[in-house]
Amino acid sequence: MYAAFRSIGSYVPSKILSNADLEKMVDTSDEWIFKRTGIKERRIAAIDETTSDMGVNAAKQAIERSGINPSDIDMVVCATISPDYFCMPSTAAIIATKLGLEKVTAFDLSAACTGFVYALGVAKAFIESGMKKNVLIIGAEKLSAITDYTDRGTCILFGDGAGAALISATTDKSEAIIDIHTGSDGSYADLLMSPNGGSGSVHDDLEASACFMKMKGNETFKVAVRTLTSDVVAILEENKIDASAVKHFVPHQANYRIIKAVGDALNMKEEQVVLTVEKYGNTSGASIPMAINDIYESGRLQNGELMLLDAFGGGLTWGSALVPFAGKGI
Ligand code: UT7
């Protein structure tokens, strides 16, 4: 049994936070943000709009486009660092119930911006082992809820949104997800973290800012470029696939300069590289499925085309995946 990437869906909130808006909030400029990150604007969820609400909207689209009967879905995995509730219940369980999926296995996965690639790996493993047949994976983030809007080093980067994909069992090897790499190195934990609120916290009281993200941006940037480049080179080499055979290089949308550096190292042509960072910023676990949805909805993603996914995030974690699109293009 193989695992096939059947469909994609996405959701973005309607409210836009532009660089001009941020200029009024912190000491920054549109010019600095765009030059250093490639970001122009990001989306912000409504106060009463939760991560699960966004995940449900993305999931509904993915399910509909897959042609799979919702009652045949037997597992839901949600990659998020901004769950509806920290600890419990899982956002995946809430999403499953909101979708009317009964008694499915549902759990959240914490791998920050690499979450979607990790979730893809989990889905592949469950399907190939024969334990599950149709796995709904979701990357959903309300990062605005854990962003410190007085910290110009982070608040210019992050946005909200969700993406979802249906991964299904197939006996057709040509549809199969080819390979997935995932890795981590906790010795870099302090580069990007939400330091307060957990059992490792030094605070004995929970403040409103308990979960705000803190990042050593420049150090993270350098490790990201180094790790991503070696990881994507390795997954291509191990599978004897030339970068030119990749139709869509779909990197985590953290910073245009990181994407460009990794793309250049692989000699990727401009038309191979999928970019959404300008309009959505960094949406952590949601960024890769949102980017895949972008090429799907613009009619650029067709059945059988090879995608190379790559991501990097807090943990530190990283991952890459070679994935043929096994759905129908539009
Ligand atoms: O998604 C998960 C992984 N996360 C990432 O991959 C993010 C990686 N990091 C980055 O994207 C970049 O490091 C940032 C965009 C966060 C920062 O860009 P940078 O080129 O690394 O800038 P820097 O931190 O080295 O700072 C350069 C200067 C500093 O001023 P001085 O010391 O040179 O006077 C900063 O204080 O830019 C200043 N600065 C800003 N200026 C205007 C930092 N943030 C801002 C800002 N607006 N928002």
Side-chain angles (χ1 to χ4, degrees):
M1 198 56 79
Y2 304 106
F5 193 107
R6 273 286 164 241
S7 66
I8 190 72
S10 167
Y11 170 81
V12 287
S14 54
K15 185 179 167 191
I16 292 174
L17 181 68
S18 68
N19 290 351
D21 296 328
L22 283 162
E23 282 177 355
K24 294 179 204 132
M25 296 160 70
V26 287
D27 181 14
T28 192
S29 66
D30 171 47
E31 191 197 352
W32 191 96
I33 299 171
F34 188 63
K35 201 165 140 204
R36 300 281 182 132
T37 69
I39 301 169
K40 278 275 178 199
E41 56 189 42
R42 59 300 282 143
R43 299 300 177 103
I44 303 294
I47 290 281
D48 59 353
E49 190 171 36
T50 61
T51 297
S52 67
D53 291 334
M54 292 188 279
V56 164
N57 287 330
K60 279 182 180 164
Q61 237 180 22
I63 295 168
E64 196 194 313
R65 289 169 179 171
S66 73
I68 287 161
N69 192 325
S71 61
D72 291 332
I73 294 172
D74 42 17
M75 187 159 103
V76 178
V77 184
C78 182
T80 185
I81 52 166
S82 48
D84 286 13
Y85 305 99
F86 283 96
C87 304
M88 64 180 168
S90 74
T91 303
I94 297 170
I95 291 173
T97 296
K98 285 181 178 172
L99 288 170
L101 307 178
E102 288 174 11
K103 298 185 180 143
V104 291
T105 303
F107 59 95
D108 288 357
L109 190 156
S110 171
C113 307
T114 321
F116 187 78
V117 178
Y118 268 66
L120 192 61
V122 170
K124 181 176 185 287
F126 267 87
I127 288 170
E128 288 179 353
S129 69
M131 283 179 72
K132 301 290 179 191
K133 285 196 166 53
N134 295 297
V135 181
L136 176 63
I137 60 171
I138 299 151
E141 301 285 11
K142 187 173 180 175
L143 296 180
S144 58
I146 59 166
T147 296
D148 178 356
Y149 285 98
T150 64
D151 174 14
R152 69 177 182 174
T154 52
C155 73
I156 54 141
L157 297 171
F158 298 109
D160 300 336
L166 218 304
I167 314 302
S168 289
T170 180
T171 50
D172 180 353
K173 197 171 178 196
S174 72
E175 292 187 326
I177 294 171
I178 297 168
D179 198 7
I180 300 177
H181 274 193
T182 46
S184 71
D185 185 348
S187 68
Y188 286 114
D190 68 325
L191 289 195
L192 181 47
M193 68 190 318
S194 303
N196 302 321
S199 65
S201 172
V202 291
H203 294 261
D204 53 15
D205 60 333
L206 277 177
E207 307 155 11
S209 60
C211 295
F212 282 172
M213 291 177 280
K214 307 258 185 269
M215 182 173 70
K216 295 179 182 169
N218 193 265
E219 286 171 61
T220 307
F221 185 99
K222 288 178 198 151
V223 188
V225 172
R226 199 170 60 235
T227 311
L228 283 174
T229 305
S230 61
D231 195 47
V232 284
V233 166
I235 198 169
L236 287 168
E237 274 179 11
E238 280 168 29
N239 291 282
K240 298 185 175 46
I241 292 173
D242 192 82
S244 62
V246 172
K247 180 76 181 174
H248 307 285
F249 174 45
V250 192
H252 166 49
Q253 307 286 314
N255 184 319
Y256 174 71
R257 290 187 295 140
I258 298 177
I259 296 171
K260 175 95 173 82
V262 179
D264 285 354
L266 293 172
N267 288 321
M268 288 283 178
K269 298 199 183 85
E270 219 172 278
E271 61 268 24
Q272 287 173 282
V273 183
V274 179
L275 285 173
T276 57
V277 67
E278 182 171 338
K279 53 184 180 178
Y280 300 139
N282 180 345
T283 57
S284 191
S287 99
I288 287 183
M290 285 169 70
I292 297 173
N293 188 69
D294 221 62
I295 48 172
Y296 175 82
E297 288 195 349
S298 63
R300 286 160 62 203
L301 181 61
Q302 297 299 325
N303 181 273
E305 291 180 349
L306 182 61
M307 300 184 283
L308 170 61
L309 318 183
D310 95 286
F312 183 88
L316 294 175
T317 56
W318 57 88
S320 53
L322 281 165
V323 184
F325 182 58
K328 244 195 297 164
I330 52 173

